[in-house]
Amino acid sequence: MTETTVGIGGAAESTDMVLNIGPQHPSTHGVLRLRLVLDGERIRSAEPVIGYMHRGAEKLFEARDYRQIIMLANRHDWLSAFSNELGVVLAVERMLGMEVPERAVWTRTLLAELNRVLNHLMFLGSYPLELGGITPIFYAFREREDLQHVMEEISGGRMHYMFNRVGGLKDDLPAGWLGRARQAVAEVRSRMGVYDDLVLGNEIFRGRTRDVGVLARETVHAYGVSGPIARASGVDFDLRRDEPYLAYADLQDVLRVAIRQEGDCLARFECLLEQTHNSLALADACLDRIDELPPGPINQRLPKVLKAPEGHTYAWTENPLGLNGYYLVSKGEKTPYRLKLRSASYNNIQALTELLPGTLVADMVAILGSLFFVVGDIDK
C-alpha cells in the first residue's frame, strides 16, 4: 500500500497560528507583549507577557528611607504620579499615628483630582488615536497643558511632582495660585464638549467600540479588576465614596461615581469621560474650601531621622486607573522592612486572558486600548 501526504499549509481548519504582538509599543503606553493563538481571524487564546520594564521597585523600597521611597513610588504609573506618592505617605502617616493639617488634606484632595484629570485626558485622546482618529489627541494635550502649568508652578515637575511629604506637602501654595488653578479648571471644562461631540458622537468610533470586548461582572471580581474598567461592567465601587480618605467624606454631595452595565469598550470610554467631568467639579469644590480656610501650616515638622514604629499597615487609594495599595511592614528602622505594591494595571491587564478569546484580531487593539493601562504600573 502506498500513502501520499498532501501539504495544505495554513488552510487546514485545525491549524492554529501563534502571533506575537509586541514587545514593541502596541498601545503607546509601555512595552507589553501579547502571545495570541489564532484560528483564522479569531483569537483562540491570549497570554499577556510582562516584565520588560521591571525595575524591582519593591526591593528598592527596602533600601531607601521613608523620604526617598516617595520618589520610587512616584514612577510606576507615570500618568498618576501625585496619586502614587499619596498612597505611600498615607501608609507611613498611619504607622506614625500622625494627623495632617487641614490645609494639607484639602490641597492633597485638589491635586489628586487634577492628577486624575491629567491621567484621563491622556487616554481620552490616545484611545481614538489607536482606532485611527488623530484629532482628539491634539485637543487632549491642549487641555493637559493648561493643568500642567499650574501643577508645575507649585511642584517644579511636569510629570513627577514629588510634592507629597510625610506629614503634609512640600510647600504652601504660591500667592495667586488658587485663582490661576480655578481659571485652568474652567478652561478645561469649557472644552470638554469636544470629547462628547467629536468622539462619542462619531458613528465610526461607536461602531468600533459598541458590543466589542465585553467584560463580564464575574470576570471583574475574579481578577480583581478595579477603577473605570470595573465600573463600566456594573461593579459599583469607588474608595472615595465607599471608604473615604483625605477630604472625600466632605465631598459626597459633589462626588458622582460613573457606572455602566454594558461592559464593552464604549462603556469604558464613557465611564472615563464622565469621571473626568466629575473630577473637575471636585477640583472646584476643593478650591472653594481652601479659599475659606484660615492661614495655617501645610505640613508637620519631622525629626531628622524618620523611623516608623514596628508593625504593619495597608493603605489604599482610588487611583485614576483603579485601586492602588501599599502594604507596609516596619521593624522600627528608618527604611521599610517590606513595602508591597498592589497596582491597578497589574490586575486589570490579566483580564485579557478572558476578554480576548473569541474576538477578532481586528478588534484586539480596540479592546487592549480600552483597558487604560500603563505598563510601568504592571511591571512595577
Side-chain angles (χ1 to χ4, degrees), residues 322-360:
L323 296 178
N324 188 79
Y326 292 101
Y327 178 59
L328 171 62
V329 181
S330 171
K331 295 291 188 181
E333 301 297 330
K334 65 179 183 179
T335 62
Y337 176 76
R338 183 79 170 91
L339 187 58
K340 176 71 174 71
L341 167 61
R342 189 266 189 219
S343 61
S345 298
Y346 181 81
N347 286 72
N348 292 355
I349 204 67
Q350 302 308 311
L352 284 170
T353 58
E354 300 282 346
L355 197 53
L356 286 178
T359 63
L360 296 171

Side-chain angles (χ1 to χ4, degrees), residues 61 65-74 76 81-100 104-105 107-109 112 162-170 245-246 298-300 302 306 308 313-317 319 324-328 336 339:
F61 286 146
D65 67 33
Y66 288 107
R67 293 178 176 89
Q68 295 169 328
I69 60 175
I70 297 172
M71 180 274 294
L72 291 171
N74 183 290
H76 57 86
F82 186 87
S83 302
N84 299 341
E85 301 170 10
L86 191 58
V88 169
V89 296
L90 288 176
V92 179
E93 288 163 2
R94 185 175 297 175
M95 291 284 285
L96 293 168
M98 180 180 290
E99 289 290 331
V100 176
V105 171
T107 306
R108 279 177 173 180
T109 310
M162 282 301 297
F163 198 56
N164 276 289
R165 293 293 186 274
V166 176
L169 295 168
K170 176 176 178 285
Y245 57 99
L246 294 181
I298 199 75
N299 51 36
Q300 296 275 25
L302 299 177
L306 180 64
T313 190
Y314 182 71
W316 58 344
T317 56
N319 265 32
N324 188 79
Y326 292 101
Y327 178 59
L328 171 62
L339 187 58

Side-chain angles (χ1 to χ4, degrees), residues 114 117-118 121 139-153 158 177 180-191 280:
L114 292 179
V117 175
L118 284 167
L121 282 171
Y139 289 111
F141 269 86
R142 180 187 63 184
E143 272 69 86
R144 278 175 53 86
E145 282 301 308
D146 289 337
L147 296 178
Q148 289 281 28
H149 286 323
V150 294
M151 295 291 279
E152 185 178 8
E153 182 182 354
R158 288 180 57 81
W177 184 87
R180 291 187 289 276
R182 194 184 300 277
Q183 182 180 357
V185 170
E187 289 179 358
V188 172
R189 181 188 291 105
S190 70
R191 301 172 188 151
L280 292 169

Side-chain angles (χ1 to χ4, degrees), residues 184-220:
V185 170
E187 289 179 358
V188 172
R189 181 188 291 105
S190 70
R191 301 172 188 151
M192 287 302 294
V194 167
Y195 305 97
D196 295 309
D197 301 332
L198 184 65
V199 182
L200 283 182
N202 185 289
E203 62 183 40
I204 298 175
F205 178 83
R206 299 182 74 88
R208 287 291 308 276
T209 55
R210 188 192 290 113
D211 299 326
V212 173
V214 177
L215 182 63
R217 183 172 180 161
E218 296 75 20
T219 306
V220 168

Side-chain angles (χ1 to χ4, degrees), residues 18-27 29-37 46-53 349-350 352-353 356 364 368 373 375 378-379:
V18 176
L19 178 65
N20 282 287
I21 305 296
Q24 294 82 13
H25 287 219
S27 64
H29 303 296
V31 184
L32 176 72
R33 174 185 165 206
L34 288 178
R35 185 180 182 275
L36 307 179
V37 178
E47 177 190 1
V49 183
I50 65 175
Y52 293 95
M53 294 186 67
I349 204 67
Q350 302 308 311
L352 284 170
T353 58
L356 286 178
M364 183 269 299
L368 186 63
F373 60 89
V375 177
I378 302 170
D379 289 345

